[in-house]
Amino acid sequence: MFNHKRKYVYNLIYIIITNKNAYSLFHIEVTTTLQYTSCTEISIRNEIIGKFFIIMEHKYTIGNMSCNSCRSKIEQALNKLEGVEATVSLNPPIATIKMEKHIPTEILQKALSEIGNYTISMYNGEEIKPHENSQHTHNHTQTSRKVTAGKYHCPMFCEGDKVYDKPGDCPECGMDLVKAPEKTGVLYTCPMHPQIIRNEPGFCPICGMTLVPMEPKEDDNTYRNLLKKFKIAVAFTLPIFLMEMGGMIPGNPIAHIIPDKISGWVQLVLSLPVVFYATWMFYTRAWTSLRTMKLNMFTLIGVGTGAAFIFSVIALLFPSIFPPQFRGHSGEVFVYFEAVTVILTLVLLGQLLEAKVHSRTNAALKELLKLAPANATLVSGDEDKIIPISEIKHGDILRVKPGEKIPVDGIIQEGETSIDESMITGEPIPVDKNVGAKVTSGTINGNKSFLMLAEKVGDETLLSQIIAMVESASRSRAPIQKLADRISSVFVPIVIGIAILTFIVWAIWGGQTAYIFAFANALAVMIIACPCALGLATPMSVMVGIGKGAQNGVLIKDAAALEQFDKVNVLITDKTGTITEGKPSVEFVHAFDGFSETDVIKLAGSLNRHSEHPLATAVVKYAAEKNIELSEAKNFEAVTGKGVVGMIDDKQIALGNKKLLEQQSVTVSTDEEQIVAEAQNKGKTISYLSIEGKVAGFIAISDAIKPTSREAIRQLTEAGIEVIMFTGDNPLTAKAVAQELNLSDYKAECLPSDKLEEIKRLQSQGKIVAMAGDGINDAPALAQAHIGIAMGTGTDVAIESAAITLLKGDLSGIVKAKHLSHGVMRNIRENLFFAFIYNVIGIPIAAGVLYPVFGLLLSPMIAAAAMSLSSVSVITNSLRLRGLKL
């Protein structure tokens, strides 16, 4: 066996020496290979080398990658290489590549150069700044999510976080870019002289009138431009339509004014402004989609109407080259100027309606932006000075007058009031505040004035963080959207194939005017099958739903969390601060023989002075109420999940749960345990105090259950969610709380690692687990769970680890989140169903399958109208989420 081990080492050294690039990333399971006790030298060598190459892994830095579309293209290009398994991340821009044998970087670079201006180099382990020195071929600007207000983005979010400085078309899908709401506060203007605009109240410099607040104007340049083009399109399309339909009017008066011989030429002239001005953007987008092979709805519109227009021009100029199948009963070659202009005008109408409706989808974000006031009153010496909110600094003293919005996050320094926090938490009842209470930006002061200390300003405020999270989540993509993406990627080529097949079938079996029917039906197939509604189905619902949640105090980090939460069947919840108020108070203190209650309170309070735990705060407060003077503790140490230890008056003191005593080798007698059990059976939390290894007594602490916890747990249980409580408290206290709330199960005396392992165990059973907590000790479990839910009253670490944040630390917020996720996913499925069923029914009808039996054909113009309205119907259905009851 020794020789085998030695040969293993030799082979290992050989591989590392001959493959310098890989040695630092070398991963191999030594124990697995050394399990062989009888094998030849060559078999071990092959086993080692084979095992090495299968799992060889490199990391590379990717340059000029600045959007999710780029990331996807790069990942696909790398995975096409033989023996390569690549995973690419956007932030940081790193490709992790597993390969069976070493592939030179030059080969990887060649693969990326074929798809764009991307670079690849070995990763040196240094921190990479996202998108550093990126020269993206799409010519866009990538900015931080916190400063994208006023930027333009794709309404279908097919490019993820990508934003643009100017309006235009999305290079992925061709849709008009829409503008994110501006971060503007209240501006003031003169009612007599509207040209006077100020960012603070005052008087008009022209007439002296008091300036009045004005609402920021919506940016509707896209809508106005489309409306202008639509009016032009209608003005020129209507005469063409009347000329073509004139034969249906008794006596055909139009033919007397415009003879048939010149009617086609008049139609051509009238169609030019429609094609080459009002709707030329459709052809530009179609050409871009063909050039980049990113086929979309404009591909079908451009190819279909373009072919019809070119056919009509040739038929008008050179009618003699067409065979009889293209001619009507009187021998004329049929032209399609009417169909082309009507179709394009109807598609333009659809775009116009979408532009109008899009502004309503991010209404929640606009309302949040309006919460921040433009100005604040700074107390400077004996004077009050009105300053812009952007000039507020940490430590400034601000005066908030009755009815004003609170400008930044801070603490009340003087006065008392009631604050309307409904716009942040969704709760309509004002909250009473006094000196020392925290106040939040965007909330509304009641009928009393107060002074506050500015603690968090600018992007640090809760309102700014909410806006950033809502904006970020609105642009995220739900996993269900991958289904629509996969279908869309093959949908357009399939539709073109069906259109060609339709043309062939009608050309063969269409009768005397076969080619006329073939051309019209093929055109109808391409127009009615435009996949715009399919692409809009998911992002519209996500945007509206996440905004709705933000207005009700439920912040969703991304769309994936929204979708996953709808599947959750197990909820793990912490006790303190989640089920209970999180504001424990000391019920009583019990001292064992040889010690007094004063000794227990003094030592426990002295030790807890250095702890920020809610239980510690309760003990220190109790000692103050008893007027007990506290001592200084030395060598203080917090033992996670167990308690605290330290030295007081040269004595070793420990305060905590039973596990802490066991760690300190402190024993509790049977009689003492019986006394403790009586308190625990009543739901009290017990903290033991030991002095020099001997139990001196205990402190009984109670933490009231939140009034909303019982109803929330009942609703969650009825929704099919198993609610389990994990707590670091003792089994008796945990059992009392679990029984009172009818919980499915509970786990007591849980350390952070125990919570983590229990969640892993449940996940191994196929459970979809959500975890709710508010403490730093909950962060690992929140990160491990499928969905982490942080109470907004908790720590920043817990909130950062969670996928959902409840601004009000209340289980009723989880009920709201459940209703929201279920409502959004149901809405998405409805949208996808409408988009799918529309195409499933529409394409065969447009192809003419009903004609042999019922004699029905779908006009390309009707197909265009139906296609445009389908997209609007999807957006309208998404807007229904604004009325969802949470």
Side-chain angles (χ1 to χ4, degrees):
M1 182 62 187
F2 173 79
N3 290 333
H4 292 315
K5 292 182 179 180
R6 183 171 59 187
K7 294 181 185 298
Y8 169 87
V9 174
Y10 289 163
N11 280 281
L12 177 59
I13 295 172
Y14 172 79
I15 293 170
I16 293 176
I17 293 175
T18 57
N19 202 326
K20 296 179 180 179
N21 288 334
Y23 80 93
S24 63
L25 298 165
F26 180 70
H27 299 292
I28 188 166
E29 296 178 11
V30 177
T31 55
T32 302
T33 304
L34 295 183
Q35 286 175 358
Y36 293 96
T37 56
S38 60
C39 56
T40 63
E41 176 183 346
I42 189 66
S43 65
I44 284 190
R45 185 176 184 277
N46 289 341
E47 171 70 11
I48 295 170
I49 295 176
K51 194 173 187 68
F52 167 74
F53 283 128
I54 289 173
I55 60 174
M56 184 165 54
E57 182 179 288
H58 298 287
K59 285 188 177 181
Y60 297 87
T61 302
I62 305 296
N64 298 337
M65 176 180 63
S66 53
C67 68
N68 193 56
S69 176
C70 298
R71 184 205 63 78
S72 179
K73 285 168 56 180
I74 292 171
E75 191 171 82
Q76 291 176 10
L78 293 174
N79 280 312
K80 288 181 180 178
L81 296 174
E82 184 178 356
V84 167
E85 180 183 343
T87 303
V88 181
S89 64
L90 182 59
N91 284 319
I94 289 178
T96 303
I97 302 179
K98 296 180 180 179
M99 54 186 74
E100 297 178 1
K101 60 181 180 180
H102 180 65
I103 298 177
T105 306
E106 291 76 13
I107 295 178
L108 302 177
Q109 180 62 65
K110 182 180 178 182
L112 297 190
S113 297
E114 292 176 354
I115 61 171
N117 185 29
Y118 305 112
T119 62
I120 183 169
S121 58
M122 288 295 297
Y123 174 55
N124 59 10
E126 296 180 359
E127 182 180 357
I128 302 174
K129 295 181 180 180
H131 319 314
E132 190 172 14
N133 299 324
S134 176
Q135 298 296 326
H136 195 275
T137 55
H138 293 167
N139 192 30
H140 70 271
T141 300
Q142 178 75 25
T143 59
S144 169
R145 284 173 173 170
K146 291 186 179 181
V147 293
T148 54
K151 300 292 184 178
Y152 294 85
H153 62 87
C154 174
M156 293 167 66
F157 303 102
C158 56
E159 299 181 291
D161 293 332
K162 188 192 298 184
V163 293
Y164 300 79
D165 290 324
K166 298 179 180 179
D169 303 331
C170 172
E172 293 290 319
C173 66
M175 294 284 289
D176 284 307
L177 301 177
V178 297
K179 190 175 184 180
E182 296 275 8
K183 286 188 178 179
T184 55
V186 178
L187 298 176
Y188 297 84
T189 186
C190 174
M192 296 296 293
H193 300 89
Q195 71 270 25
I196 301 298
I197 299 177
R198 299 288 185 268
N199 63 357
E200 58 187 45
F203 304 98
C204 175
I206 299 176
C207 65
M209 289 190 66
T210 302
L211 301 181
V212 296
M214 61 181 292
E215 291 293 327
K217 295 181 179 179
E218 295 290 343
D219 181 86
D220 57 355
N221 286 333
T222 300
Y223 175 76
R224 287 199 303 269
N225 291 336
L226 288 175
L227 181 61
K228 175 185 175 182
K229 291 182 177 181
F230 178 71
K231 291 178 179 179
I232 293 174
V234 170
F236 285 93
T237 298
L238 190 58
I240 299 175
F241 180 78
L242 292 175
M243 278 189 285
E244 196 63 32
M245 296 292 106
M248 298 182 181
I249 302 174
N252 194 8
I254 296 178
H256 296 296
I257 302 173
I258 305 175
D260 291 339
K261 290 184 178 181
I262 66 170
S263 175
W265 293 97
V266 174
Q267 291 183 37
L268 170 60
V269 172
L270 291 174
S271 68
L272 294 178
V274 178
V275 173
F276 292 98
Y277 173 71
T279 62
W280 182 247
M281 57 185 173
F282 298 156
Y283 294 102
T284 302
R285 297 171 184 178
W287 170 247
T288 301
S289 70
L290 291 170
R291 181 171 52 82
T292 60
M293 289 309 296
K294 295 173 181 176
L295 307 182
N296 52 49
M297 62 173 287
F298 298 106
T299 311
L300 299 177
I301 294 171
V303 171
T305 60
F309 181 78
I310 294 172
F311 174 90
S312 302
V313 172
I314 296 174
L316 197 62
L317 295 174
F318 311 103
S320 61
I321 68 173
F322 290 90
Q325 291 90 338
F326 279 100
R327 300 178 182 275
H329 295 288
S330 58
E332 80 284 0
V333 180
F334 197 84
V335 294
Y336 295 91
F337 294 119
E338 174 217 9
V340 169
T341 54
V342 171
I343 288 169
L344 291 174
T345 301
L346 288 172
V347 174
L348 185 59
L349 174 62
Q351 296 285 291
L352 181 69
L353 294 175
E354 283 185 25
K356 188 67 175 177
V357 176
H358 271 310
S359 63
R360 298 174 60 195
T361 59
N362 56 7
L365 184 56
K366 293 175 183 176
E367 291 301 317
L368 287 172
L369 291 171
K370 291 178 183 178
L371 292 180
N375 308 291
T377 303
L378 174 68
V379 178
S380 179
D382 296 331
E383 297 180 353
D384 287 356
K385 179 182 178 182
I386 297 178
I387 62 172
I389 192 172
S390 58
E391 295 183 7
I392 299 176
K393 299 180 179 62
H394 292 276
D396 281 351
I397 301 297
L398 307 173
R399 186 184 305 279
V400 183
K401 299 175 183 179
E404 288 185 343
K405 294 177 182 177
I406 296 173
V408 294
D409 295 357
I411 299 177
I412 294 180
Q413 295 287 98
E414 180 182 314
E416 58 182 26
T417 187
S418 60
I419 305 291
D420 179 2
E421 298 181 336
S422 60
M423 295 182 183
I424 297 293
T425 65
E427 299 298 327
I429 302 175
V431 180
D432 293 332
K433 304 277 187 176
N434 47 34
V435 174
K438 292 183 178 293
V439 291
T440 305
S441 59
T443 55
I444 302 174
N445 185 23
N447 55 6
K448 295 181 180 180
S449 178
F450 65 89
L451 298 182
M452 62 171 288
L453 174 70
E455 275 194 323
K456 295 181 179 180
V457 300
D459 287 341
E460 299 174 348
T461 66
L462 177 62
L463 179 59
S464 295
Q465 292 174 10
I466 292 172
I467 292 170
M469 183 177 289
V470 172
E471 184 185 30
S472 168
S474 296
R475 291 209 227 110
S476 61
R477 293 163 67 85
I480 195 174
Q481 191 169 344
K482 293 180 181 178
L483 172 64
D485 291 343
R486 287 196 298 268
I487 294 174
S488 296
S489 64
V490 299
F491 188 71
V492 174
I494 290 176
V495 169
I496 293 175
I498 294 174
I500 294 173
L501 181 62
T502 300
F503 183 90
I504 294 172
V505 171
W506 276 95
I508 296 174
W509 291 288
Q512 184 179 357
T513 55
Y515 283 14
I516 295 176
F517 283 110
F519 201 87
N521 291 336
L523 180 60
V525 167
M526 285 193 287
I527 297 302
I528 200 169
C530 288
C532 182
L534 187 62
L536 289 171
T538 299
M540 291 299 101
S541 297
V542 168
M543 178 183 286
V544 178
I546 286 176
K548 175 71 174 180
Q551 290 179 320
N552 287 270
V554 179
L555 300 184
I556 311 295
K557 183 168 287 187
D558 53 42
L562 197 63
E563 179 176 339
Q564 184 81 316
F565 193 59
D566 189 43
K567 304 174 184 176
V568 165
N569 49 31
V570 174
L571 172 65
I572 305 299
T573 176
D574 186 34
K575 178 174 74 70
T576 305
T578 304
I579 290 178
T580 63
E581 293 286 357
K583 299 176 181 178
S585 59
V586 176
E587 289 286 308
F588 63 89
V589 176
H590 183 88
F592 293 131
D593 293 342
F595 302 93
S596 66
E597 290 185 9
T598 301
D599 293 334
V600 174
I601 297 171
K602 179 177 180 178
L603 293 174
S606 301
L607 198 58
N608 272 326
R609 289 171 65 183
H610 298 277
S611 175
E612 296 180 356
H613 194 280
L615 297 181
T617 303
V619 173
V620 174
K621 182 180 179 181
Y622 187 77
E625 293 172 352
K626 296 293 184 179
N627 296 319
I628 295 177
E629 185 177 352
L630 302 180
S631 303
E632 186 64 30
K634 300 178 181 179
N635 300 329
F636 174 84
E637 180 184 356
V639 184
T640 304
K642 296 178 182 179
V644 292
V645 295
M647 297 290 294
I648 300 177
D649 297 332
D650 296 327
K651 295 180 180 180
Q652 180 70 24
I653 310 297
L655 178 69
N657 56 25
K658 188 72 175 293
K659 287 188 176 182
L660 180 66
L661 296 187
E662 293 172 356
Q663 179 179 310
Q664 298 289 317
S665 300
V666 178
T667 58
V668 183
S669 68
T670 304
D671 292 340
E672 291 170 342
E673 284 186 345
Q674 185 175 355
I675 296 173
V676 170
E678 291 178 0
Q680 291 175 334
N681 286 332
K682 298 178 182 178
K684 311 300 180 185
T685 297
I686 299 301
S687 286
Y688 294 90
L689 179 78
S690 71
I691 304 174
E692 291 292 310
K694 183 178 180 180
V695 179
F698 66 86
I699 300 174
I701 300 174
S702 65
D703 188 6
I705 295 174
K706 294 178 181 178
T708 55
S709 293
R710 183 176 287 101
E711 177 61 21
I713 290 172
R714 183 190 66 79
Q715 292 187 41
L716 291 169
T717 303
E718 289 180 354
I721 297 178
E722 183 181 356
V723 183
I724 302 174
M725 180 180 70
F726 285 179
T727 177
D729 217 332
N730 64 84
L732 293 176
T733 301
K735 181 180 180 180
V737 174
Q739 288 179 339
E740 184 175 351
L741 296 175
N742 295 319
L743 297 177
S744 303
D745 196 4
Y746 68 91
K747 301 289 182 183
E749 297 182 341
C750 285
L751 300 175
S753 58
D754 297 330
K755 296 180 182 181
L756 191 64
E757 291 305 316
E758 281 294 320
I759 290 176
K760 289 181 179 179
R761 183 183 65 80
L762 289 167
Q763 290 174 331
S764 68
Q765 297 174 359
K767 303 287 188 179
I768 306 298
V769 182
M771 165 72 188
D774 69 339
I776 190 169
N777 61 316
D778 294 324
L782 288 170
Q784 174 63 36
H786 291 101
I787 294 293
I789 304 172
M791 301 298 174
T793 52
T795 65
D796 291 339
V797 176
I799 293 173
E800 184 64 27
S801 303
I804 297 176
T805 299
L806 307 179
L807 294 181
K808 185 180 180 183
D810 195 315
L811 284 181
S812 61
I814 299 180
V815 178
K816 291 181 179 180
K818 179 63 177 177
H819 289 162
L820 178 66
S821 66
H822 182 70
V824 170
M825 294 312 301
R826 181 181 60 198
N827 192 268
I828 290 175
R829 294 185 185 100
E830 290 170 353
N831 287 346
L832 290 174
F833 173 79
F834 291 148
F836 283 131
I837 201 69
Y838 167 81
N839 286 297
V840 168
I841 295 174
I843 292 176
I845 295 176
V849 296
L850 298 181
Y851 185 78
V853 180
F854 301 101
L856 294 178
L857 286 176
L858 189 64
S859 165
M861 292 175 286
I862 297 177
M867 183 276 295
S868 298
L869 291 176
S870 68
S871 299
V872 177
S873 67
V874 165
I875 299 178
T876 303
N877 186 54
S878 300
L879 290 174
R880 290 175 51 245
L881 287 170
R882 297 170 64 183
L884 182 67
K885 292 184 178 181
L886 301 181

